[in-house]
């Protein structure tokens, strides 16, 4: 029984172990990642390479069950442009004019081992109900059983998601949680970096409507045709494709 009175369907909700991939794949139950001792926080960065190598991921079990594996995450896109270096005439510094506002688009995406990209967006921050809407979106687009791997954000493990699983989604959907404080282990982080620093670099939009067109109708579609980039995001943390 988890905090809040909800119980998770057996085998549906797990947390990635820090053990070996082989031992985790053969295990029926997920083990929580071991937390560092109070005296070790300053050394955590030194363990990153080891963590990349030893973080267990139940690929064999998921593939054996015929599940499609998807890595998911969410991010925000503001009107303030992602400024990167560019060429300009000598003595003429390029000037970007932008609107300083807190208005933004929130986007949630997932990528699969086949190099496919799925995304939804909205003009407000995501809540638990929106995470459920995204899971439904994936289940409509991806046939058969599905394994979604994402971080431990409260919207990913709140009551809305648990209720959704308990209502029958658990028959097709399984969720796995990445270790805490390890965003570099989520391949979907690379998707956000590519969109912001490559597809949308130096782009100034005057409104969220314009940003929505540039992000969803143009940048996203360009990235969907770059299967090598998506697969590269999956390989970078050490996952097999």
């Amino acid at each position: 029984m988890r905090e809040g009175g909800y119980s998770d369907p057996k085998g549906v909700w797990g947390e990635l172990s820090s053990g070996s991939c082989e031992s985790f794949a053969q295990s029926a139950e997920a083990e929580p990642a071991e937390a560092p001792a109070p005296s070790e926080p300053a050394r955590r960065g030194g363990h990153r390479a080891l963590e990349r190598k030893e973080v267990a991921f139940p690929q064999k079990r998921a593939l054996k069950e015929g599940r499609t594996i998807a890595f998911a995450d969410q991010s925000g896109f503001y009107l303030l442009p992602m400024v990167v270096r560019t060429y300009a005439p000598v003595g003429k510094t390029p000037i970007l004019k932008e609107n300083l506002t807190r208005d933004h688009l929130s986007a949630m995406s997932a990528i699969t081992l086949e190099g496919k990209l799925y995304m939804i967006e909205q003009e407000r921050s995501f809540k638990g109900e929106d995470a459920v809407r995204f899971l439904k979106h994936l289940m409509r687009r991806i046939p058969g059983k599905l394994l979604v791997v994402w971080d431990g954000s409260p919207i990913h493990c709140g009551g809305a998601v648990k209720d959704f699983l308990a209502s029958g989604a658990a028959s097709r959907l399984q969720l796995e949680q990445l270790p805490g404080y390890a965003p570099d282990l989520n391949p979907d982080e690379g998707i956000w970096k590519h969109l912001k620093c490559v597809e949308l670099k130096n782009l100034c939009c005057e409104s969220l409507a314009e940003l929505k067109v540039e992000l969803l109708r143009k940048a996203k579609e360009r990235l969907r045709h770059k299967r090598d980039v998506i697969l590269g995001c999956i390989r970078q943390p050490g996952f097999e494709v």
Side-chain angles (χ1 to χ4, degrees):
M1 183 72 70
R2 290 176 178 266
E3 183 179 355
Y6 291 92
S7 59
D8 298 334
K10 184 177 180 182
V12 172
W13 193 280
E15 183 170 310
L16 297 184
S17 167
S18 58
S20 67
C21 292
E22 182 177 359
S23 62
F24 188 95
Q26 294 174 351
S27 172
E29 296 293 335
E31 299 177 0
E34 182 178 355
S39 59
E40 295 185 358
R43 299 174 52 199
R44 183 166 183 88
H47 296 311
R48 179 62 69 225
L50 182 62
E51 190 174 53
R52 286 176 184 273
K53 183 178 180 180
E54 294 186 352
V55 166
F57 177 65
Q59 265 189 323
K60 293 182 180 179
R61 177 160 56 94
L63 295 176
K64 184 178 180 179
E65 295 174 353
R67 295 183 184 273
T68 298
I69 302 172
F71 298 91
D73 193 32
Q74 61 270 354
S75 185
F77 291 81
Y78 291 78
L79 297 180
L80 187 67
M82 177 62 67
V83 180
V84 300
R85 289 187 177 184
T86 185
Y87 291 101
V90 176
K92 295 183 179 180
T93 302
I95 299 176
L96 299 179
K97 297 181 180 180
E98 74 282 345
N99 296 321
L100 297 179
T101 173
R102 293 181 180 273
D103 295 339
H104 67 282
L105 289 178
S106 295
M108 183 176 289
S109 73
I111 54 177
T112 68
L113 299 182
E114 293 74 30
K116 294 184 178 180
L117 169 66
Y118 303 88
M119 184 183 297
I120 65 171
E121 57 79 30
Q122 61 188 34
E123 295 184 10
R124 57 181 174 80
S125 299
F126 280 99
K127 299 180 180 180
E129 293 76 11
D130 303 308
V132 170
R133 181 166 65 91
F134 179 67
L135 293 175
K136 291 180 178 179
H137 174 75
L138 292 181
M139 295 175 71
R140 286 194 300 268
R141 298 297 183 91
I142 302 175
K145 294 183 177 181
L146 179 64
L147 170 64
V148 174
V149 183
W150 54 12
D151 60 31
S153 171
I155 69 171
H156 296 162
C157 51
V161 172
K162 293 176 182 178
D163 289 341
F164 177 60
L165 293 174
S167 67
S171 61
R172 283 187 56 198
L173 177 65
Q174 178 178 337
L175 304 178
E176 291 287 344
Q177 183 176 312
L178 288 164
Y181 307 105
D184 53 330
L185 296 181
N186 191 342
D188 205 39
E189 291 283 351
I191 296 299
W192 303 130
K193 183 176 181 180
H194 183 84
L195 284 173
K196 294 179 179 181
C197 299
V198 178
E199 302 294 344
L200 299 175
K201 63 181 180 181
N202 296 333
L203 176 67
C204 297
C205 295
E206 295 183 355
S207 66
L208 291 182
E210 182 182 355
L211 179 60
K212 186 183 300 184
V213 171
E214 294 294 337
L215 170 62
L216 295 183
R217 296 185 184 178
K218 296 182 180 180
K220 181 181 68 175
E221 292 305 319
R222 289 195 298 269
L223 181 54
R224 276 180 170 168
H225 290 85
K226 298 179 180 180
R227 184 170 177 268
D228 57 329
V229 174
I230 297 176
L231 295 180
C233 292
I234 297 176
R235 294 190 185 99
Q236 194 277 333
F239 296 113
E240 298 180 2
V241 295

